[in-house]
Amino acid sequence: MKFLAITLIVHAPDPVTGRPTPVRKRFREVVDSALAAEELGFDGFGVGERHERPFLSSSPPVVLSHIAALTRRIRLFTAVTTLSLLDPVRAYEDYATLDHLSGGRLELMIGKGNGTAQRELFHVTPEDQWERNSEGYELLRRLWREDRVTAEPRFRPALKDAEVLPRPGGPPPRVWHGSATSRESVDLAARYGDPLFSANVTHPIGPYAELIRHYRERWEHYGHDPALAVVGAGTAGFHAARTSQQAVAAYRPAFEQYLAFHEQAGVEPVFPHLDDFVERSSALIGSPQQIVEKVHRYHEQFGHTVLHLQAEPGGLPPAAHRASLELFQSEIAPVLRREIPDPPFADL
């Protein structure tokens, strides 16, 4: 099994002082998290893309390019690239440049994105976002594989024998399709033989397991080898400690931040109590043995071979989060790496 650390670059007040965190400091924290992830042995580091409050992740290629200059081994993920909002030509230029600068370490995770504010910012409607995502991906694939492209897309100006630079320095990057409950994303991934990354953060396991089963069915429908279907899955939270009591007590401030976020958004939380969150969500909160057992329970339904954890404290003291990640890498990851197979490609 392989492990990613992911951030959406949430910009929230300092959990201790309540004061706003300066934007420059917040970006520095993200970079420090990426460096820590490489140091601790994570296989990848991901940066989300959002264009609305409370996020600062509007420009993943810039953030990841800076991280690329400071790291050597860790693979660099987008989580996700919101192709429904982007011009695929410009997205290709940004990410092809990043792939060169990183020495071929880029992994694209694409999705339609969510949020009314960012749809309005880019003049995208709920009715056309799936078509934009699909069209953008198909054009992006061609740009990565063809030196000159002629196309008449619906959502951007036509291309006539267009050369888009820089040309790739190697094979196209792997593209994962991020999905929460969308069968459209799942079908697109299966059609092209691409891996799926289940969000797996908002609801109990049922809807996500159903969607992954659908992905595997569509994968076989399109004629792909079932053994080569790759699934990754997210987690709703993470904190490891020597005992479950210590882990739950330490995680309480982060859960209170989770409740406050839902209240501010005017949304009823799916898991209104911490005990319920620990038990029924995908959050990994407990002792090393408890976390290993929970990952196995999810693996029985998902068959996933890649897992992501939150890269940043998210309401926990930074030192406590760092200690938790160290415990994960020293006592949890080795067991999961041994007991759950790696995805069937060597470079992750």
Side-chain angles (χ1 to χ4, degrees):
M1 190 170 223
K2 300 296 186 183
F3 304 101
L4 317 180
I6 286 183
T7 178
L8 300 181
I9 319 186
V10 175
H11 190 216
D14 185 284
V16 177
T17 67
R19 299 191 189 101
T21 303
V23 171
R24 189 172 298 177
K25 179 184 177 185
R26 188 69 191 89
F27 281 123
R28 183 68 249 174
E29 290 171 348
V30 171
V31 173
D32 288 344
S33 295
L35 297 177
E38 178 163 88
E39 176 191 346
L40 291 172
F42 281 86
D43 301 287
F45 186 84
V47 174
E49 180 178 335
R50 299 289 189 279
H51 300 271
E52 59 189 337
R53 290 182 183 275
F55 306 102
L56 295 177
S57 48
S58 59
S59 187
V62 175
V63 178
L64 289 170
S65 291
H66 186 66
I67 291 169
L70 299 174
T71 57
R72 293 292 175 266
R73 175 196 59 80
I74 199 164
R75 297 194 68 79
L76 306 170
F77 280 73
T78 62
V80 299
T81 295
T82 51
L83 271 183
S84 64
L85 309 180
L86 305 178
D87 180 343
V89 173
R90 191 73 183 105
Y92 167 81
E93 292 172 335
D94 286 343
Y95 286 112
T97 300
L98 169 55
D99 201 39
H100 277 284
L101 291 172
S102 68
R105 288 187 280 148
L106 174 64
E107 304 256 349
L108 281 172
M109 196 184 299
I110 68 165
K112 70 169 179 62
N114 286 301
T116 300
Q118 63 181 15
R119 282 201 305 265
E120 292 176 351
L121 186 64
F122 289 90
H123 297 278
V124 173
T125 69
E127 292 74 27
D128 68 20
Q129 59 187 351
W130 294 114
E131 292 180 49
R132 287 176 178 273
N133 186 63
S134 176
E135 177 184 283
Y137 177 52
E138 289 166 359
L139 183 53
L140 187 70
R141 283 180 59 89
R142 290 189 61 193
L143 291 168
W144 227 291
R145 289 164 172 79
E146 301 174 25
D147 289 338
R148 293 184 177 274
V149 173
T150 296
E152 293 188 5
R154 177 183 169 192
F155 297 107
R156 63 144 288 130
L159 299 173
K160 184 174 181 180
D161 197 30
E163 181 182 38
V164 185
L165 302 174
R167 298 310 306 147
R174 189 158 36 236
V175 177
W176 303 70
H177 295 248
S179 180
T181 57
S182 158
R183 292 199 168 207
E184 289 89 343
S185 292
V186 162
D187 191 79
L188 190 65
R191 188 189 322 161
Y192 285 105
D194 295 331
L196 177 72
F197 215 105
S198 171
N200 190 39
V201 296
T202 306
H203 302 285
I205 193 170
Y208 303 115
E210 180 181 349
L211 200 70
I212 291 169
R213 286 193 292 270
H214 181 66
Y215 167 69
R216 295 186 187 279
E217 291 168 2
R218 299 306 293 169
W219 179 276
E220 293 192 51
H221 169 81
Y222 286 114
H224 304 302
D225 183 348
L228 298 181
V230 176
V231 173
T235 53
F238 168 72
H239 189 70
R242 288 295 169 191
T243 69
S244 61
Q245 294 85 355
Q246 290 172 331
V248 172
Y251 194 78
R252 189 169 296 279
F255 182 73
E256 289 172 354
Q257 194 172 86
Y258 159 88
L259 292 180
F261 178 82
H262 282 75
E263 183 178 0
Q264 185 177 16
V267 177
E268 189 75 21
V270 176
F271 309 102
H273 306 292
L274 179 54
D275 290 345
D276 187 41
F277 183 72
V278 172
E279 176 63 28
R280 293 197 306 121
S281 82
S282 62
L284 302 177
I285 301 167
S287 68
Q289 184 59 35
Q290 287 172 315
I291 289 175
V292 167
E293 290 172 358
K294 189 167 188 179
V295 172
H296 271 289
R297 290 201 303 273
Y298 271 75
H299 178 72
E300 287 172 5
Q301 296 204 43
F302 290 176
H304 61 307
T305 53
V306 181
L307 180 74
H308 90 48
L309 302 178
Q310 283 66 32
E312 298 184 284
L316 297 172
H321 183 63
R322 167 78 187 213
S324 179
L325 292 177
E326 290 175 350
L327 184 59
F328 179 86
Q329 287 293 1
S330 65
E331 297 191 20
I332 301 169
V335 177
L336 294 173
R337 290 186 192 277
R338 183 173 65 249
E339 295 178 351
I340 296 177
D342 284 344
F345 29 76
D347 56 345
L348 175 60

